[in-house]
Amino acid sequence: MLETIIFLLPPITACVLLAGILGYFGNHILTRGIIFIDIALAQIVALGTMIGLLMGFAEESISVQLVSLVFTLVIVSIFALTKFEKQRIPQEAIIGIIYGLGLGLAMSLAEHIPRGSNFIAKTITGNVLWVTWDNVLWCFVIFSVIGVIHIFSGKYFIQISNSKDSLPFSIGKVRLFELLFYFTFSIVIVKAVPIGGVFLVFTLLIAPTSIATIFTQRWVWRFIWSWIIGIIGSVIGIYISYNLDISNGPAIVCLMGIFVFILAFAKIIFGRSKVLKGVTN
Amino acid sequence: MPDALVIMFVPFIACLTLVGIHGYFGIHVLKREIIFIDIAMAQIAALGGTISMILPVEVTTAWGIVSYTAHGGGTIAYLFSLVLVTIAAAVFTYLKSEKLYVSLEALIGITFAVATTGAVILIDVGAGGDVHVHDMLVGSILWVKWSQVLKSFIVYSMIGAFHYRFRHKFLSISEDYQKAKEKGINVRLWDFLFYFTLGIVVIHSVAIGGILVVFSFLIIPASISVLFSQNWSTRIMIAWIGGTIVTMLGLYFSWKIDVPSGPSVILFLGVFLFLALIVKALNIFGTSEKNVPGQSASGDVSE
């Protein structure tokens, strides 16, 4: 029993860290309706890594990660700066296009890299079970710094997220904060995806906040519930996957995903929307 | 050159049928902001295929009961996919509700994640996983068979005719869900039919082109067309013409310099979108009069 716990401690810690930072970002992502941003970004990160590999850097070296990060930040800047007052092509569609093109390019490049297609498959699942303490510590440091940035500028981010059809302040200021928001988000994705895989990251981002949002629309409570749900969900998921001997990432994803649907059905069947509406914000 | 024509003819026709149906559906999908519905549906259909691969399905034949395992395109796999797609269509229809405060796109995303990772878990249990995942993404439009194209064409035509016959319902709901409801349209029924027909289309398309090509044909031509018009018929025409040109270029390019045809077509779609954005930014056609962004041209519905 003790051995199991010691063995599972790094992945659990990693998941708790991921659930913490992604649970926070997820509320913004959901409110903005840019659900697939993380999958698109993860694809861009993978593409950046492949470009790094093609440039001759070793896999998992610092240089490759840097190339990947720079590439990602460039793409993200384009995305942040294409937010207009009136959105003709929905932002989610732009995300879709970035995803499609990113994956298309990655697949063309995959032919030129040894085990290239294997590389695409690897980003899909990830492997949180083999995360090292070293890696966990790095995540903690980076996520903390980003957390501090968001503590100071959080209220601006919330204002931007809340405004669908208008801008809360001048377009210049909005774009500045958008850059900051997406830069910090990209760094989180760059760190998180190699650990958890695209789908675990996606689920930790969207599922907890979806559950929270079904029941409360206040930002503070959404954050708190997202954290609780994300952390409990991933710990239970790791435990179940370990016992049933199935991949841990997919187990957490399926567990939380199915949970969202059960609660969504429950809410529609039993929910009293009229009464709740008064509480909104 | 004649070689290219011979090899590329079937893939070209296949791409054109994809352009035809997805150019139309893409506009709906963009309007409803359920961008990733097609990837989610494709993944659900694939999950059906995966389940059928793992369950040894018993098929009764004249010689008694034989154990039958479907591989990819088998009838059993198709039935499994169809059942799962129908369920998904019903679930999406049911979960579109103001009571949830969660957008349908978020639930579509979660469906996508669960279906994909579910397939990964099942494949772990089964065998031959990696290859399958890769094939699903890329597809192999170069090796598509006439019979496949013909079958898809018939299915698309039927669905297309159905959508044309009831275009008022489908278009009204995509333009404005609430208004359609007030007009007395049974939004639940027509929503279900929309997802269901889209699901069937996706099953066939993915078998031909792979998830990614299909997704690109759905989103990119529709995105290009919205830059220049708010009118449904104009948008469909733009999507079709653009899609056809891109397909020709993409396939030719892929044959010429020997890159995979699927990604090649996708990249050309991207290039085309980029050019469209430049044209739009330079305002070459001077079309600023009636393209008030965000204003829905509801008059078009009754055309």
Side-chain angles (χ1 to χ4, degrees), chain A residues 1 28 37 137 210 221 242:
Chain A
M1 186 62 196
H28 281 290
I37 179 100
L137 193 69
S210 295
W221 283 110
Y242 184 78

Side-chain angles (χ1 to χ4, degrees), chain A:
Chain A
M1 186 62 196
L2 192 66
E3 269 177 28
T4 315
I5 291 175
I6 290 174
F7 177 67
L8 288 182
L9 209 52
I12 286 177
T13 321
C15 274
V16 169
L17 283 176
L18 289 181
I21 194 90
L22 295 171
Y24 165 77
F25 271 105
N27 283 296
H28 281 290
I29 302 298
L30 188 73
T31 308
R32 289 166 179 230
I34 45 170
I35 312 296
F36 279 79
I37 179 100
D38 123 76
I39 291 191
L41 267 185
Q43 196 51 61
I44 295 300
V45 174
L47 181 60
T49 311
M50 290 171 101
I51 293 174
L53 291 177
L54 279 178
M55 286 163 73
F57 299 117
E59 200 175 327
E60 285 174 23
S61 68
I62 298 290
S63 318
V64 161
Q65 289 187 20
L66 266 180
V67 171
S68 177
L69 184 65
V70 170
F71 181 69
T72 310
L73 291 185
V74 169
I75 301 289
V76 149
S77 312
I78 295 174
F79 178 73
L81 297 179
T82 48
K83 183 182 169 75
F84 297 106
E85 201 161 349
K86 294 277 184 191
Q87 204 75 31
R88 195 181 269 266
I89 304 178
Q91 277 198 303
E92 178 82 346
I94 297 176
I95 291 170
I97 293 164
I98 292 177
Y99 170 72
L101 292 179
L103 189 49
L105 257 177
M107 283 180 335
S108 318
L109 292 181
E111 312 244 312
H112 304 285
I113 299 173
R115 298 181 298 117
S117 65
N118 193 2
F119 192 77
I120 294 179
K122 212 168 80 179
T123 52
I124 292 178
T125 42
N127 203 337
V128 75
L129 210 54
W130 303 113
V131 67
T132 57
W133 275 120
D134 216 31
N135 217 335
V136 172
L137 193 69
W138 264 111
C139 281
F140 177 72
V141 174
I142 293 172
F143 294 172
S144 305
V145 172
I146 289 175
V148 170
I149 295 176
H150 277 254
I151 286 173
F152 284 111
S153 26
K155 61 173 192 230
Y156 300 110
F157 295 141
I158 289 181
Q159 274 178 295
I160 297 178
S161 295
N162 270 338
S163 56
K164 275 260 155 66
D165 299 317
S166 59
L167 302 173
F169 11 83
S170 70
I171 185 86
K173 196 174 169 192
V174 167
R175 287 193 169 156
L176 196 69
F177 278 110
E178 287 286 273
L179 273 181
L180 186 62
F181 180 83
Y182 288 113
F183 270 31
T184 47
F185 183 62
S186 316
I187 294 170
V188 170
I189 296 300
V190 167
K191 268 326 274 182
V193 167
I195 296 175
V198 178
F199 288 104
L200 179 62
V201 171
F202 178 77
T203 304
L204 286 177
L205 199 62
I206 301 299
T209 173
S210 295
I211 295 174
T213 307
I214 289 174
F215 296 100
T216 173
Q217 284 76 51
R218 295 171 68 97
W219 281 88
V220 178
W221 283 110
R222 284 173 65 195
F223 287 141
I224 293 171
W225 276 111
S226 304
W227 284 325
I228 295 174
I229 294 161
I231 290 169
I232 294 179
S234 38
V235 170
I236 295 178
I238 289 182
Y239 184 75
I240 291 179
S241 69
Y242 184 78
N243 276 326
L244 293 182
D245 193 24
I246 50 180
S247 324
N248 40 72
I252 300 175
V253 172
C254 288
L255 182 78
M256 294 226 263
I258 290 167
F259 200 52
V260 172
F261 278 95
I262 293 173
L263 288 179
F265 271 104
K267 174 69 196 249
I268 290 186
I269 294 170
F270 305 110
R272 296 160 301 168
S273 70
K274 296 256 159 53
V275 183
L276 270 175
K277 256 176 196 161
V279 196
T280 314
N281 293 317

Side-chain angles (χ1 to χ4, degrees), chain A residues 30 35-36 39 88 92 96 101 104 107-108 199 202 210 214 217 247 250 253 257 261 265 268-269 273 277, chain B residues 30 35-36 94-95 99-102 105-106 109-112 117 121 124 138 212 215 226-227 230 263 266 291:
Chain A
L30 188 73
I35 312 296
F36 279 79
I39 291 191
R88 195 181 269 266
E92 178 82 346
L101 292 179
M107 283 180 335
S108 318
F199 288 104
F202 178 77
S210 295
I214 289 174
Q217 284 76 51
S247 324
V253 172
F261 278 95
F265 271 104
I268 290 186
I269 294 170
S273 70
K277 256 176 196 161
Chain B
L30 219 60
I35 312 295
F36 283 80
Y94 188 70
L95 290 185
K99 278 189 194 175
L100 278 190
Y101 301 99
V102 172
E105 177 83 350
I110 295 168
T111 310
F112 171 54
T117 49
I121 292 178
D124 270 354
V138 195
L212 202 56
F215 178 67
V226 78
L227 290 173
Q230 298 291 323
I266 295 167
N291 303 335

Side-chain angles (χ1 to χ4, degrees), chain B residues 57-266:
Chain B
V57 181
E58 311 248 291
V59 176
T60 315
T61 68
W63 301 277
I65 294 172
V66 288
S67 180
Y68 172 75
T69 320
H71 284 286
T75 316
I76 304 290
Y78 185 77
L79 283 178
F80 266 90
S81 300
L82 206 59
V83 170
L84 282 193
V85 162
T86 313
I87 294 172
V91 169
F92 289 148
T93 307
Y94 188 70
L95 290 185
K96 186 171 174 70
S97 160
E98 309 96 70
K99 278 189 194 175
L100 278 190
Y101 301 99
V102 172
S103 65
L104 195 57
E105 177 83 350
L107 298 171
I108 288 170
I110 295 168
T111 310
F112 171 54
V114 170
T116 313
T117 49
V120 170
I121 292 178
L122 288 179
I123 286 169
D124 270 354
V125 178
D130 245 22
V131 184
H132 194 66
V133 171
H134 192 245
D135 280 355
M136 248 158 40
L137 276 175
V138 195
S140 40
I141 200 152
L142 215 50
W143 311 117
V144 65
K145 288 196 237 35
W146 265 122
S147 58
Q148 256 177 309
V149 179
L150 194 69
K151 207 163 60 183
S152 306
F153 180 74
I154 293 170
V155 172
Y156 296 166
S157 306
M158 275 158 49
I159 288 176
F162 181 71
H163 272 255
Y164 185 72
R165 169 71 183 78
F166 296 104
R167 60 189 179 284
H168 306 295
K169 316 263 187 202
F170 288 117
L171 265 57
S172 303
I173 295 178
S174 290
E175 286 287 353
D176 194 329
Y177 188 81
Q178 220 49 44
K179 228 190 248 167
K181 213 171 174 177
E182 283 158 19
K183 265 200 260 173
I185 295 175
N186 186 348
V187 282
R188 281 277 161 92
L189 172 70
W190 292 102
D191 253 4
F192 172 76
L193 288 171
F194 178 80
Y195 297 126
F196 181 61
T197 46
L198 180 60
I200 295 176
V201 166
V202 167
I203 293 179
H204 285 271
S205 308
V206 169
I208 295 177
I211 291 181
L212 202 56
V213 170
V214 173
F215 178 67
S216 306
F217 272 138
L218 192 72
I219 300 302
I220 300 182
S223 297
I224 293 173
S225 71
V226 78
L227 290 173
F228 299 105
S229 175
Q230 298 291 323
N231 177 301
W232 277 81
S233 1
T234 318
R235 287 188 65 184
I236 293 175
M237 286 320 285
I238 294 176
W240 281 350
I241 295 170
T244 308
I245 297 172
V246 163
T247 302
M248 288 198 289
L249 289 174
L251 288 180
Y252 180 72
F253 186 74
S254 105
W255 182 78
K256 205 68 188 165
I257 70 160
D258 194 27
V259 287
S261 44
S264 172
V265 171
I266 295 167

